[in-house]
Structures are given as structure tokens and as C-alpha cells.
Amino acid sequence: MPIALIRHALFAPKRPRRHLPAPTELKRSYDVVIVGGGGHGLAAAYYLARYHGIRRVAVLEKGYLASGNTARNTAVVRANYVTPGSVRFYAESVKLFENLSAELDFNILFSQRGQLTLAHTDAAMRGFRLRAEVNRRCGVESVMIGSGEIAKLVPTLNLVPAERYPVLGGLWHPPGGIVRHDAVAWGYARRAAERGVEIHQRTEVTAVHVDNGRVVAVQTNRGRVACGAVVQAVAGSSSLVAALAGLRLPIVTYPLQAMVTQPLKPFVDPLVSSPQFHVYISQTPRGDVVIGGGSDPYPLYGTRATLDLKESLIQHTIELFPCLAGAKLLRQWAGIADMTPDYSPIMGKTEVAGYYLDAGWGTWGFKATPICGKAMAELVATNETPGLIGAFGVDRFRTFRLVNEMGATAASH
Ligand SMILES: Cc1cc2nc3c(=O)[nH]c(=O)nc-3n(C[C@H](O)[C@H](O)[C@H](O)COP(=O)(O)OP(=O)(O)OC[C@H]3O[C@@H](n4cnc5c(N)ncnc54)[C@H](O)[C@@H]3O)c2cc1C
């Protein structure tokens, strides 16, 4: 038997190294409580500890880390939105993603293979031209391309799908890509914990105590925790948790489904999305094809996968990629998406002093994880709203200054 094996059997540590410190007792008070241990909450905790020196922070998660939408999403990262404010915001996030593996010393497998949104009608072509122009003016690479260039980029794409909706052109966004989503959550969690942040899983916030217009504590299934500030980052439960603080949000909640095939030989490099067909796909480095679409048509708090959606996603995927007709589906799942009227998020202060919202992320919030965490940390540390998120306050629904991103969100996520 090789010596190295014997040495390993005798002397190697018996237990694998923990990625996170062992859970501690929940303290009676913290400077900041973050409700929600998804990517957003963990990122905010990390930036607070690393860049603002605020370390008496507790992340309270009712399930386990990233058990919400963070590890259910299809991991699309892009910045080709419609309004200049959104384009700049998401472009900052793409930049942070580009450096995130180094920042966290944790490989998040960011693969920038470009994102292509297909136009099947003249109206879509007009809309995409506008987007390309806004993107260009904001310094984001996005160009209109014709069907000839699309054929070169994606040779397996059917350019005349069922002759219903021929591909007229597309919006080509080279910086777009996919990321290993659970690695993002774990990377932030690990580095935040190293800096003293406490991460408490299976700890549900059940009430929020407000005194004289200011948040003073949260009630959990493990007792009361006093705090100076609360960041609410609970994605699909935003309205429910905000209601605990007496806040009413303009949010309607829908299930959002996705599915994945068996691993296949590489057949498509860029991410391809078709708003007309309500479908988008990407092929992971492992070869699986991840397929997603729009949210379910009825509001619901549920994560049931449905046959209806499976049928429509498969039909449209095969129209675009006939070569997938024989592929086997491995899994189908759902998350819960909090949709705002203008398809943009809500970030910022509320009428309860010290209670900050990171909500309304609908079908598109994963790509904002780094920049949202960074901006929320700055907001909590300074109580000043960073310019980059100024347009996304909840007040906009009272003052009718909406940030309409419906056209750029649709089925592209
Ligand atoms: C199928 C699907 C595909 C998607 N695809 C994309 C995509 O390609 N690109 C993109 O950018 N976005 C996408 N999204 C959206 C994206 O996943 C979310 O917007 C993002 O993950 C939100 O992150 P989060 O950290 O805010 O929320 P989550 O990861 O959901 O974390 C919130 C956490 O809060 C916890 N929680 C809730 N209530 C309480 C409580 N009372 N006390 C304590 N903890 C609580 C939950 O358990 C959960 O873990 C998709 C979503 C789904 C469902």
C-alpha cells in the first residue's frame, strides 16, 4: 500500500473543515440584524463587516443558507436594461461579479459567454434599438445584430421556428453570463463570518418591535433580539415580513419555475432568450441545459412545479432548438417572486427609522446581489441613500416616479 495512503489514514484530520464557524448562542442584542440568509442578506453582512467595520451583525435565516431563491434561480447576470438608472446599477453589479472570486477568494465560476435576446417582430426590433442606444450611452456593451450574425453565434438555433416567429435580429450583450449561484451565497457567508458576523440558520423572525417610529428589536423563534437597525432581505416573503413592521408594500407574489436537462455535449455558448416565446436557456459548464420562462399566471405563495409550464417551456425550447427534442429533463422546480408594478426592486429607507428594505426582486434579483449588498451596507452604515439606488425607494409608488423595466425583464431575467 502506498505510504501516502497509510499516512493519510493515520494522521489526516477526521472531520472535514467547517466552511462556517459552529453556530453560537443567539445574543440578546446586535447593532444590525439582517433578516434573510440568501445572497442579498449575506452580501450586505459582508460589506458591512469588511468596508464599514460594523461586525456586531446577525443574519437570521428561517431555513438554511440560500434555501430561498438564491439557489433556485437560473443565474443569469446582465446589465442590458432599459432605463439609464437601472443600466448603471446592474452594470456596477456585473463589474463586482467580474472581481468577486478574487474579492472573496472563493470561486463563483462567473462565465461571461454573452447574452442574446431574440427579436421576432418589428416592434421588438424597435424596442431593442432603444435599449442598445441607452446601454451604449451608459457605457454598457449592447448591440443590435442581424440573423446572419446570430447564425454564426448560435449555429444550432432554428432561425425560422415553425415559421410563426422568424428571428429578425437580436440584442447582443457580450458581458452577460452565468454564475454558480450557491457559491455566491457561500462565499459571502464565509468571509462575513470570518469578520465576526453571526449567521443563525433555523431562526425565523416572527415579529418586529417598533417604538416611537424606530425599530428596536425583532422577535424570533429563539427569543427577542434588540437591534439598532434591521435590513429586510427576504425575497418572496417581502410583504409578509414588512407587514410585521407595519409596512404595506406594492408587491404581488407569483411562483416562478425553471427546469434542467441531462448533461449534453456543448451545443450553445451564449445565453439565449426569446421574450416572444417566453423562454430562455443557457448551457452550464457541466452540459445541463437550464430552461426558464415567465412567472406563473396567478398570484400564489407556493413552490409547486406544474405540467402546464413544463409543456409550454419544452414546446418553445424545441421550436428554437430542435436538436433538444430527445433531451431528458432531470428536474423542475419553483421559487417565489415578489413582483412590483414597475418590475424594479425596492431598496432604501422606510417610514420606520432604522428599518431598511431590500425587496421586490421578482424574477431578476440574483444579478444584483453584489451591488445591492454593497449599497445596503453603505445605507445602513451612513443612513444616507447611495446615489446608485436613489431611484428605487418605496416612495416612488406614492410620487409616481416609476422605473419601468417591464420590457427588459420579461422572460430574460
Ligand atoms: C426559478 C427562478 C429563476 C430566477 N432566475 C434569475 C436569473 O436568472 N437572474 C436573476 O438575476 N434573478 C433570477 N431570479 C430571481 C432571484 O433568484 C432572486 O431575486 C434573488 O435570489 C433574491 O435573493 P435574496 O437573497 O433577496 O432572496 P432569497 O435567496 O430568497 O433569500 C431570502 C431568505 O429569507 C428567508 N426568510 C424569509 N422569511 C424569513 C423570516 N421571517 N425570518 C428569517 N428568514 C426569512 C428565506 O428562507 C430565504 O432564505 C430567479 C428566481 C427564480 C425563483
Side-chain angles (χ1 to χ4, degrees):
M1 187 181 285
I3 291 287
L5 254 185
I6 297 171
R7 203 184 305 129
H8 183 81
L10 293 177
F11 302 114
K14 291 287 177 284
R15 288 185 179 180
R17 204 157 58 91
R18 288 191 74 92
H19 284 253
L20 285 175
T24 50
E25 282 303 300
L26 190 61
K27 296 197 178 84
R28 290 279 175 86
S29 84
Y30 294 90
D31 291 338
V32 181
V33 160
I34 296 177
V35 190
H40 281 231
L42 295 164
Y46 166 78
Y47 289 108
L48 271 173
R50 168 135 198 209
Y51 293 102
H52 301 280
I54 299 178
R55 291 161 187 235
R56 289 190 69 245
V57 176
V59 178
L60 308 183
E61 164 55 50
K62 75 173 177 185
Y64 55 91
L65 288 194
S67 55
N69 284 343
T70 293
R72 291 166 197 258
N73 69 64
T74 45
V76 176
V77 170
R78 61 185 177 89
N80 55 353
Y81 278 73
V82 175
T83 61
S86 299
V87 176
R88 291 196 188 97
F89 173 76
Y90 291 108
E92 277 306 307
S93 215
V94 172
K95 273 191 214 151
L96 290 176
F97 268 122
E98 284 168 349
N99 194 40
L100 202 54
S101 292
E103 162 101 27
L104 299 176
D105 190 18
F106 200 100
N107 193 353
I108 61 154
L109 297 177
F110 187 21
S111 170
Q112 284 180 290
R113 68 259 308 265
Q115 193 242 2
L116 174 66
T117 314
L118 302 174
H120 303 279
T121 62
D122 290 338
M125 290 290 280
R126 277 197 299 279
F128 287 2
R129 270 190 207 105
L130 171 74
R131 260 168 86 180
E133 188 56 23
V134 173
N135 284 198
R136 195 181 60 80
R137 280 170 182 263
C138 296
V140 166
E141 219 184 326
S142 247
V143 287
M144 287 297 293
I145 58 174
S147 52
E149 282 164 283
I150 291 178
K152 282 189 211 139
L153 269 175
V154 193
T156 46
L157 179 69
N158 178 10
L159 290 169
V160 197
E163 294 177 7
R164 285 197 299 165
Y165 298 123
V167 175
L168 303 182
L171 185 65
W172 174 231
H173 177 51
I178 48 174
V179 178
R180 174 87 191 267
H181 43 29
D182 42 355
V184 172
W186 276 90
Y188 277 124
R190 215 163 152 181
R191 301 304 167 225
E194 278 171 8
R195 288 172 171 81
V197 169
E198 289 181 20
I199 297 170
H200 294 278
Q201 304 182 62
R202 297 188 180 280
T203 307
E204 179 171 2
V205 170
T206 52
V208 175
H209 299 290
V210 177
D211 186 19
N212 226 0
R214 162 164 280 284
V215 67
V216 290
V218 295
Q219 189 66 40
T220 76
N221 56 339
R222 296 170 61 198
R224 181 184 160 110
V225 178
C227 55
V230 170
V231 177
Q232 177 193 309
V234 295
S237 306
S238 300
S239 308
L240 305 176
V241 176
L244 301 177
L247 302 170
R248 199 163 154 242
L249 301 183
I251 279 177
V252 183
T253 302
Y254 297 87
L256 176 64
Q257 304 185 41
M259 53 198 207
V260 69
T261 68
Q262 65 185 125
L264 302 168
K265 282 185 184 165
F267 77 98
V268 59
D269 193 38
L271 288 63
V272 179
S273 118
S274 165
Q276 192 94 40
F277 280 95
H278 272 275
V279 75
Y280 64 98
I281 73 153
S282 66
Q283 190 170 23
T284 70
R286 206 169 44 186
D288 331 3
V289 186
V290 177
I291 305 172
S295 51
D296 282 8
Y298 37 79
L300 190 70
Y301 282 99
T303 51
R304 204 166 56 103
T306 63
L307 183 59
D308 279 2
L309 198 97
K310 189 190 295 189
E311 277 178 355
S312 96
L313 286 184
I314 292 175
Q315 180 199 337
H316 294 142
T317 302
I318 293 175
E319 277 190 71
L320 291 172
F321 291 96
C323 60
L324 285 178
K328 292 194 172 56
L329 266 194
L330 288 192
R331 281 186 298 122
Q332 184 189 1
W333 67 91
I336 306 179
D338 277 350
M339 306 299 288
T340 55
D342 58 1
Y343 286 61
S344 283
I346 299 172
M347 286 173 280
K349 298 181 190 178
T350 65
E351 58 212 58
V352 176
Y355 195 90
Y356 302 98
L357 279 178
D358 166 352
W361 285 105
T363 64
W364 57 84
F366 172 67
K367 69 179 68 60
T369 304
I371 189 59
C372 179
K374 192 174 174 201
M376 292 304 294
E378 185 182 335
L379 170 61
V380 173
T382 62
N383 201 31
E384 297 289 330
T385 306
L388 205 55
I389 64 166
F392 299 106
V394 69
D395 271 4
R396 72 178 187 275
F397 299 102
R398 286 188 204 106
T399 54
F400 300 105
R401 279 178 302 196
L402 302 189
V403 186
N404 190 348
E405 283 297 347
M406 193 171 184
T409 308
S412 297
H413 291 225

